[in-house]
């Protein structure tokens, strides 16, 4: 069907140019429809192409297919064109014209419309390829699927296209769609905003329902990509079939009810969503928190009171609203009396009032009374308080107008084309307009409008919440916004206190597969299930939970019993606790006993038992043993640099001194009992001076080893955090392991030498044979230190130091007991045996001789004949 109406206007005004635009709209009803208006100069031609049979086949609706909202968008474009044509600042002396074709929300019909607008019968005298195109730009379409088809046709003719409602992210591909622009944000930003919304409210388990078209597929893919690595999982993905089927819808509702996901994101246009939601309400499904895409979040068709119990609380991102001056007044001027031959106005009246303004033979509607007036109740048509899609249409028209204005304002010689030329004003090519469209930047209603290199505009959304109005209907309330121009991380702004949730709840709905783990527990993913479905298991020792996983504490910290916090590790060293005090008491007691023995020997120094045992060496041994007992005290307390160096050096030198003295005594005893023949002068080599030299030399070797140790790699304090992870063990590192074992090895060498020599003299006669006790003392000493090595290596923490102290004290007590206990017993308890004759065996003779002016006693066996 084709009708034409001429609008009255000033036709005599001289015009130099005309612009033809293709404008596509969509119905609120399932039957999407494209309306075509044509303005050529000031004459208005309205062409409508319906296909009733096709509509009935696709959508099976017997109600009116006229879309008042789409007609409002068309009138918005008409208003914008008239404003520009009446402006003295924008495009002066130029008039815009346009056509509007119907694509019926069907890509094939959109393709036909695109070809018709370029090669229609009215343009037969101006073929496309003979010169400048009769059409410079197209505004449309509202559907992404149709925009893809139309844009691919237009790109061959390099005709720019501005969409006001096609949001598919795929259209940002400049290689596939080089001439495509849009004043609506790309779905790439919408899915980013939705992902941030889900994260903000901690909705980690959501369902997705989409339409069977490119818009739905692209939006779903974009959302899944945005949700990667965020901890949000999609419980299910369902598709509303293009040819709607109630049985399929019931299956979708069954999936929604059986899932624990209470939040559902819907990427769909309002037309295909209408029968879906009708079945949803008939089945009385509730408890769903809907997340609406921009395609239907502001649809007036769902604002009736019957929808609120099921859709109340819906939240979603809508196209940013704007301000269009005089739009409401402009819409109220449209009526059958003013446009009696305009079929669109007649269709509008039929859709709003269910009557026909004029009688006709084929009319299926009753005749109107003539008193009908457009009122507030006609929200689909009169919703001008917060225009959104209409505002995008308004911006698109002005974007083309500003681009044309910049084109005609070009100064010759400073143009953007080859050789700095400008476009010819009377012969403008579409690709020339596209150049200016890419660079255009202007402000409208306080908003900056421009396009990036992909043809996208600045992303900006209003966060819309469906709340209950005073009359029980649904009111669209702005509760936040998403502004892509803000710095990253701050794009989303939400007024949480203003939100009403599904079921009139005031608390944020919960939609999770598994609840967050309690402090001290971590997530354990269930086999074969999404990451959002997990079990909670306790964290290992040394780790605390951050609600998703267990993280280890830093080196100096350990987890508490509950695994909720890191606390400083217990610092462990051999302090003056029970063990430390016990070892200290034993050490001091040993030193005191040794000094007591020293006092006894000093008091009885002239008695035979003391003289026979070489009193000078005995005193040296007692002094060194006292130092051995006291050096154990250095091992108790917090290790420091000085204490670590002093520990091992003092221990090694004092024990070397002690063993050296015992070695000297062993040599003297062995020499005295073997020098039985007169004239044997071996004793002259073991006099007091020689004995001191032997002691000093043997000790000096150990001192040299210790000096080299301290210079090369001295012992130092260190914090051992590896042996026992829950504690910090303060200990002394030996520095050079080679030097440490050299020190112990040298002490062992001296002790072994003493043992061998004493063993050789063990059977010499005498009631008090010193060699036997030296042998036994060395045997105990070596046994203690041989047992020390494995115990030292395997002992944990402070017990390592305690083992070393125990070895020092045990070996010291062993030496003290074996060498001096028998003598003290005789001196203190058996004084009658403390005589020259009682101290030796009956078959041993004693004589006093002088060596180097010093008197000493010699012994020999009666079986031997002195010479």
């Amino acid at each position: 069907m084709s009708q034409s109406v001429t609008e009255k206007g000033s036709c005599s005004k001289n015009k130099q140019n005309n612009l033809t635009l293709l404008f596509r709209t969509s119905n609120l009803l399932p039957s999407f429809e494209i309306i075509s208006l044509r303005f050529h100069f000031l004459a208005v031609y309205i062409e409508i192409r319906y296909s009733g049979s096709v509509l009935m086949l696709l959508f099976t609706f017997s109600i009116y297919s006229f879309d008042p909202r789409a007609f409002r968008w068309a009138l918005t474009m008409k208003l914008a064109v008239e404003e520009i044509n009446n402006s003295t600042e924008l495009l002066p002396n130029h008039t815009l014209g346009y056509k509007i074709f119907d694509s019926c929300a069907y890509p094939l019909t959109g393709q036909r419309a695109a070809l018709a607008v370029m090669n229609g019968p009215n343009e037969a005298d101006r073929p496309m390829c003979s010169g400048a195109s009769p059409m410079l730009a197209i505004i449309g379409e509202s559907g992404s699927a149709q925009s893809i088809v139309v844009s691919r046709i237009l790109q061959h003719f390099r005709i720019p296209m501005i969409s006001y409602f096609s949001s598919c992210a795929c259209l940002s591909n400049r290689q596939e769609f080089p001439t495509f622009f849009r004043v609506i944000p790309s779905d790439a930003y919408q899915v980013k905003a939705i992902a941030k919304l889900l994260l903000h409210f901690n909705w980690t388990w959501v369902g997705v329902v989409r339409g069977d078209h490119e818009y739905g597929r692209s939006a779903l893919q974009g959302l899944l990509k945005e949700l990667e690595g965020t901890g949000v999982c999609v419980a299910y993905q369902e598709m509303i079939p293009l040819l709607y089927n109630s049985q399929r819808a019931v299956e979708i509702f069954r999936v929604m009810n059986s899932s624990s996901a209470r939040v559902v994101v819907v990427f769909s246009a309002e037309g295909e969503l209408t029968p879906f939601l009708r079945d949803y309400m008939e089945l009385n499904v509730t408890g769903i928190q809907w997340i609406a895409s921009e395609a239907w979040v502001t649809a007036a068709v769902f604002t009736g009171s019957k929808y609120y119990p099921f859709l109340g609380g819906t939240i979603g991102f809508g196209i940013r609203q704007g301000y269009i001056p005089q739009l409401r007044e402009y819409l109220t001027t449209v009526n059958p009396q003013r446009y009696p031959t305009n079929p669109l106005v007649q269709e509008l009246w039929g859709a709003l009032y269910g009557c026909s303004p004029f009688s006709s033979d084929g009319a299926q509607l009753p005749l109107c009374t003539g008193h009908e007036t457009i009122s507030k109740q006609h929200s689909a048509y009169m919703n001008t308080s917060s225009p959104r899609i209409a505002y995008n249409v308004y911006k698109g028209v002005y974007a083309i107008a500003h681009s044309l204005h910049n084109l005609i304002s070009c100064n010759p010689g400073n143009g953007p084309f080859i050789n700095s030329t400008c476009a010819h004003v009377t012969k403008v090519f579409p690709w020339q307009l596209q150049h200016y469209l890419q660079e255009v930047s202007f402000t409208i209603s306080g908003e900056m409008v421009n396009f990036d290199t992909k043809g996208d505009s600045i992303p900006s959304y209003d966060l819309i919440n469906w709340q209950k109005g005073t009359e029980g209907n649904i009111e669209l309330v702005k509760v936040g916004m998403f502004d892509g121009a803000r710095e990253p991380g701050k794009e989303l702004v939400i007024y949480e206190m203003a939100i009403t949730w599904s079921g009139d709840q005031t608390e944020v709905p919960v939609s999770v597969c598994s609840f967050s783990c309690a402090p001290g527990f971590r997530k354990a993913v269930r086999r074969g299930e999404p990451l959002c479905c997990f079990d909670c298991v306790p964290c290992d020792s040394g780790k605390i939970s951050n609600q998703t996983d267990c993280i280890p504490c830093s080196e100096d910290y350990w987890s508490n019993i509950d695994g909720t916090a890191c606390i400083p590790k217990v610092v462990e060293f051999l302090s003056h606790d029970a063990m430390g005090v016990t070892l200290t008491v034993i050490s001091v007691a040993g030193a005191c006993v040794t000094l007591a023995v020293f006092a006894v020997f000093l008091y009885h120094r002239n008695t035979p038992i003391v003289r026979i045992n070489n009193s000078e060496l005995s005193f040296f041994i007692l002094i060194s043993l006292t130092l051995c007992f006291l050096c154990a005290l250095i091992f108790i307390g917090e290790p420091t640099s000085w204490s670590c160096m002093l520990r091992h050096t003092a221990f090694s030198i004092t024990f070397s001194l002690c063993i050296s003295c015992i070695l000297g005594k062993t040599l003297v005893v062995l020499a005295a009992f073997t020098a039985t023949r007169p004239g044997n002068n071996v004793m002259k080599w073991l006099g007091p001076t020689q004995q001191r030299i032997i002691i000093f030399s043997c000790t000096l070797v150990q001192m040299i080893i210790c000096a080299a140790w301290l210079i090369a790699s001295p012992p130092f304090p260190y914090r051992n955090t590896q042996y026992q992870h829950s504690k910090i063990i303060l200990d002394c590192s030996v520095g050079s392991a080679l030097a440490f074992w050299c020190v112990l090895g040298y002490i062992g060498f001296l002790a072994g030498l003493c043992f061998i020599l004493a063993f050789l003299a063990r059977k010499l006669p005498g009631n008090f044979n010193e060699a036997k006790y030296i042998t036994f003392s060395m045997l105990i000493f070596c046994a203690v230190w041989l047992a020390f090595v494995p115990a030292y290596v395997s002992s944990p923490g402070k017990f390592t130091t305690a083992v070393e102290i125990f070895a020092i004290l045990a070996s010291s007590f062993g030496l003290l007991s074996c060498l001096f206990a028998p003598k003290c017993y005789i001196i203190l308890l058996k004084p009658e045996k403390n005589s020259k004759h009682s101290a030796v065996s009956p078959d041993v003779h004693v004589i006093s001789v002088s060596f180097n002016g010093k008197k000493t006693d010699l012994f020999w066996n009666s079986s031997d004949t002195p010479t």
Side-chain angles (χ1 to χ4, degrees):
M1 178 175 64
S2 178
Q3 298 284 345
S4 64
V5 176
T6 303
E7 178 178 324
K8 295 182 179 180
S10 177
C11 299
S12 59
K13 184 178 180 181
N14 182 26
K15 297 293 180 180
Q16 298 179 4
N17 269 3
N18 69 76
L19 173 67
T20 305
L21 307 116
L22 179 66
F23 175 79
R24 188 271 188 209
T25 64
S26 62
N27 281 344
L28 290 174
L29 300 178
S31 53
F32 282 73
E33 179 178 303
I34 306 305
I35 306 173
S36 299
L37 298 180
R38 172 177 175 151
F39 283 72
H40 189 68
F41 295 97
L42 289 182
V44 181
Y45 299 90
I46 304 177
E47 297 180 0
I48 307 175
R49 301 188 180 184
Y50 293 97
S51 177
S53 58
V54 175
L55 290 176
M56 294 296 291
L57 175 63
L58 290 177
F59 303 104
T60 64
F61 272 87
S62 60
I63 60 175
Y64 298 105
S65 61
F66 186 83
D67 184 359
R69 187 174 69 148
F71 188 53
R72 168 164 50 87
W73 299 343
L75 293 177
T76 301
M77 182 178 124
K78 180 175 180 293
L79 171 64
V81 171
E82 290 181 0
E83 287 181 353
I84 295 169
N85 289 339
N86 294 328
S87 174
T88 58
E89 297 179 357
L90 188 62
L91 291 177
N93 300 323
H94 291 77
T95 299
L96 298 180
Y98 59 87
K99 288 182 179 180
I100 300 178
F101 278 78
D102 179 9
S103 69
C104 300
Y106 189 59
L108 180 59
T109 309
Q111 182 183 34
R112 292 174 178 173
L115 294 174
V117 79
M118 291 185 293
N119 301 306
N122 293 334
E123 305 293 343
D125 56 335
R126 300 181 63 182
M128 288 290 297
C129 301
S130 62
S133 170
M135 178 174 59
L136 296 182
I138 288 181
I139 295 179
E141 287 212 13
S142 65
S144 297
Q146 297 88 272
S147 290
I148 290 173
V149 172
V150 173
S151 181
R152 283 176 174 165
I153 294 175
L154 297 177
Q155 67 184 6
H156 298 291
F157 303 98
R158 303 176 70 180
I159 298 175
M161 174 178 179
I162 302 179
S163 175
Y164 56 92
F165 208 17
S166 296
S167 57
C168 179
C170 58
L171 290 164
S172 297
N173 188 336
R174 264 295 185 246
Q175 292 183 346
E176 291 191 32
F177 309 101
T179 63
F180 183 82
F181 297 84
R182 55 182 156 193
V183 287
I184 183 176
S186 165
D187 281 337
Y189 297 103
Q190 180 185 198
V191 296
K192 182 180 295 186
I194 292 177
K196 288 184 178 293
L197 182 70
L198 298 177
L199 289 172
H200 179 84
F201 291 112
N202 197 30
W203 291 327
T204 59
W205 190 235
V206 300
V208 177
V209 176
R210 67 174 180 88
D212 184 15
H213 38 58
E214 187 62 31
Y215 168 71
R217 287 188 291 271
S218 177
L220 174 61
Q221 293 173 3
L223 181 63
L224 294 177
K225 184 176 180 181
E226 286 293 330
L227 295 180
E228 289 179 359
T230 62
V232 179
C233 302
V234 175
Y236 55 84
Q237 305 172 22
E238 297 295 332
M239 181 181 67
I240 303 174
L242 185 61
L243 297 178
Y244 185 76
N245 187 305
S246 294
Q247 184 177 358
R248 173 62 184 139
V250 171
E251 295 176 1
I252 297 175
F253 299 144
R254 186 179 297 113
V255 172
M256 294 169 60
N257 270 333
S258 61
S259 174
S260 59
R262 296 291 86 193
V263 173
V264 178
V265 183
V266 180
F267 295 106
S268 175
E270 62 190 72
E272 61 200 8
L273 197 59
T274 300
F276 180 80
L277 292 179
R278 181 181 295 109
D279 288 342
Y280 172 80
M281 292 187 296
E282 288 180 358
L283 293 175
N284 199 27
V285 183
T286 57
I288 298 296
Q289 175 61 53
W290 298 96
I291 306 297
S293 65
E294 41 77 26
W296 65 281
V297 71
T298 58
V301 70
F302 302 128
T303 58
S305 58
K306 64 179 181 179
Y307 288 98
Y308 184 80
F310 304 94
L311 300 180
T314 297
I315 191 170
F317 292 96
I319 301 169
R320 179 176 178 177
Q321 69 180 22
Y323 173 69
I324 303 177
Q326 301 178 350
L327 177 59
R328 184 175 185 83
E329 292 77 9
Y330 191 82
L331 296 178
T332 57
T333 62
V334 177
N335 56 70
Q337 288 73 31
R338 183 171 182 179
Y339 301 101
T341 59
N342 191 325
L344 285 181
V345 178
Q346 297 181 28
E347 293 281 354
L348 174 65
W349 238 243
L352 296 182
Y353 301 103
C355 63
S356 176
F358 304 105
S359 60
S360 61
D361 296 336
Q364 298 179 353
L365 297 176
L367 187 65
C368 295
T369 63
H371 301 287
E372 294 81 7
T373 58
I374 297 176
S375 61
K376 182 179 180 181
Q377 64 178 344
H378 305 116
S379 57
Y381 178 71
M382 290 300 298
N383 184 14
T384 59
S385 59
S386 57
R388 300 178 186 277
I389 303 173
Y391 180 60
N392 280 348
V393 175
Y394 194 72
K395 289 191 295 184
V397 175
Y398 269 89
I400 293 176
H402 280 277
S403 300
L404 282 173
H405 184 85
N406 295 335
L407 182 147
I408 64 176
S409 301
C410 175
N411 295 321
N414 294 322
F417 306 118
I418 299 177
N419 298 325
S420 300
T421 58
C422 298
H424 198 280
V425 176
T426 60
K427 193 177 182 180
V428 179
F429 288 88
W431 60 266
Q432 294 173 323
L433 175 63
Q434 178 176 350
H435 173 83
Y436 284 94
L437 195 60
Q438 185 69 65
E439 304 295 331
V440 73
S441 180
F442 62 96
T443 301
I444 184 170
S445 298
E447 178 186 359
M448 177 66 68
V449 179
N450 52 30
F451 302 99
D452 60 16
T453 55
K454 297 180 180 180
D456 294 330
S457 58
I458 300 174
S460 180
Y461 296 97
D462 290 338
L463 185 59
I464 306 300
N465 183 217
W466 290 16
Q467 300 183 8
K468 191 173 185 179
T470 56
E471 299 178 359
N473 61 325
I474 292 178
E475 291 186 355
L476 309 183
V477 179
K478 179 179 177 181
V479 293
M481 63 178 298
F482 179 87
D483 188 356
R486 297 167 66 98
E487 58 183 293
K490 297 183 179 180
E491 303 97 335
L492 183 61
V493 178
I494 300 178
Y495 316 127
E496 294 190 31
M497 299 301 295
I499 299 177
T500 297
W501 300 107
S502 174
D504 289 328
Q505 298 294 319
T506 56
E507 295 183 357
V508 179
V510 177
S511 184
V512 295
C513 182
S514 299
F515 287 94
S516 299
C517 295
F521 291 80
R522 67 174 178 85
K523 295 179 179 180
V525 179
R526 300 171 186 168
R527 185 182 299 273
E529 296 189 29
L531 295 177
C532 299
C533 301
F534 52 84
D535 297 318
C536 294
V537 297
C539 290
D540 298 331
S541 297
K543 296 182 178 181
I544 62 173
S545 63
N546 61 354
Q547 295 182 349
T548 57
D549 199 2
C550 294
I551 57 176
C553 297
S554 59
E555 187 177 21
D556 293 342
Y557 289 82
W558 196 253
S559 61
N560 59 3
I561 297 177
D562 298 330
T564 57
C566 289
I567 58 177
K569 288 183 178 179
V570 176
V571 179
E572 183 180 273
F573 57 89
L574 187 58
S575 61
H576 294 88
D577 54 7
M579 182 186 296
V581 170
T582 301
L583 294 175
T584 300
V585 171
I586 296 174
S587 178
V588 173
C592 292
V593 171
T594 305
L595 291 176
V597 173
F598 183 89
V600 170
F601 266 61
L602 183 63
Y603 183 78
H604 297 279
R605 63 185 177 277
N606 294 321
T607 60
I609 195 80
V610 177
R611 291 181 60 204
I612 288 173
N613 284 278
N614 197 330
S615 58
E616 183 175 334
L617 290 179
S618 296
F619 289 138
F620 276 149
I621 293 174
L622 289 170
I623 293 173
S624 62
L625 281 176
T626 303
L627 295 176
C628 288
F629 279 114
L630 294 178
C631 78
L633 299 176
I634 308 174
F635 288 80
I636 302 174
E638 184 176 354
T640 63
S641 298
W642 287 104
S643 67
C644 286
M645 290 188 290
L646 188 60
R647 281 181 184 183
H648 295 91
T649 54
F651 149 73
S652 59
I653 292 174
T654 54
F655 266 91
S656 295
L657 175 62
C658 181
I659 304 300
S660 298
C661 293
I662 297 174
L663 177 62
K665 176 177 280 197
T666 305
L667 290 173
V668 170
V669 171
L670 186 62
F673 278 91
T674 55
T676 56
R677 296 180 179 276
N680 192 329
N681 58 357
V682 66
M683 286 302 298
K684 73 178 181 180
W685 298 107
L686 291 174
T689 303
Q690 287 78 11
Q691 295 171 19
R692 297 187 190 106
I693 292 175
I694 290 173
I695 296 171
F696 177 77
S697 299
C698 292
T699 308
L700 181 62
V701 173
Q702 187 72 291
M703 295 175 66
I704 292 173
I705 296 175
C706 290
W709 185 7
L710 294 178
I711 293 173
S713 180
F716 60 90
Y718 83 107
R719 299 161 63 89
N720 189 345
T721 59
Q722 301 302 318
Y723 187 84
Q724 195 169 358
H725 296 296
S726 61
K727 297 179 180 179
I728 298 176
I729 301 174
L730 291 184
D731 201 357
C732 288
S733 174
V734 296
S736 172
L738 177 63
F740 175 72
W741 292 112
C742 285
V743 165
L744 292 182
Y746 182 69
I747 295 175
F749 168 75
L750 293 178
L753 184 60
C754 284
F755 175 77
I756 293 172
L757 295 177
F759 182 79
L760 295 176
R762 73 189 185 283
K763 293 184 178 180
L764 293 175
N767 290 337
F768 186 78
N769 188 349
E770 186 79 7
K772 294 180 181 179
Y773 297 105
I774 293 176
T775 302
F776 193 61
S777 67
M778 289 298 102
L779 185 63
I780 294 175
F781 183 86
C782 292
V784 169
W785 285 100
L786 286 176
F788 159 77
V789 174
Y792 179 82
V793 172
S794 61
S795 298
K798 63 181 180 181
F799 296 101
T800 303
T801 307
V803 166
E804 192 169 359
I805 296 175
F806 176 79
I808 294 172
L809 296 178
S811 57
S812 299
F813 274 113
L815 294 176
L816 180 64
S817 301
C818 292
L819 296 177
F820 297 99
K823 302 178 183 64
C824 291
Y825 174 77
I826 294 174
I827 293 173
L828 298 176
L829 301 179
K830 299 290 183 178
E832 67 277 6
K833 293 184 179 183
N834 191 5
S835 63
K836 184 179 296 187
H837 294 285
S838 299
V840 296
S841 176
D843 55 350
V844 175
H845 300 278
V846 182
I847 61 173
S848 298
V849 296
S850 297
F851 292 100
N852 298 328
K854 197 162 185 177
K855 188 177 181 180
T856 188
D857 295 327
L858 292 179
F859 309 88
W860 73 90
N861 195 307
S862 59
S863 62
D864 295 328
T865 303
T867 55

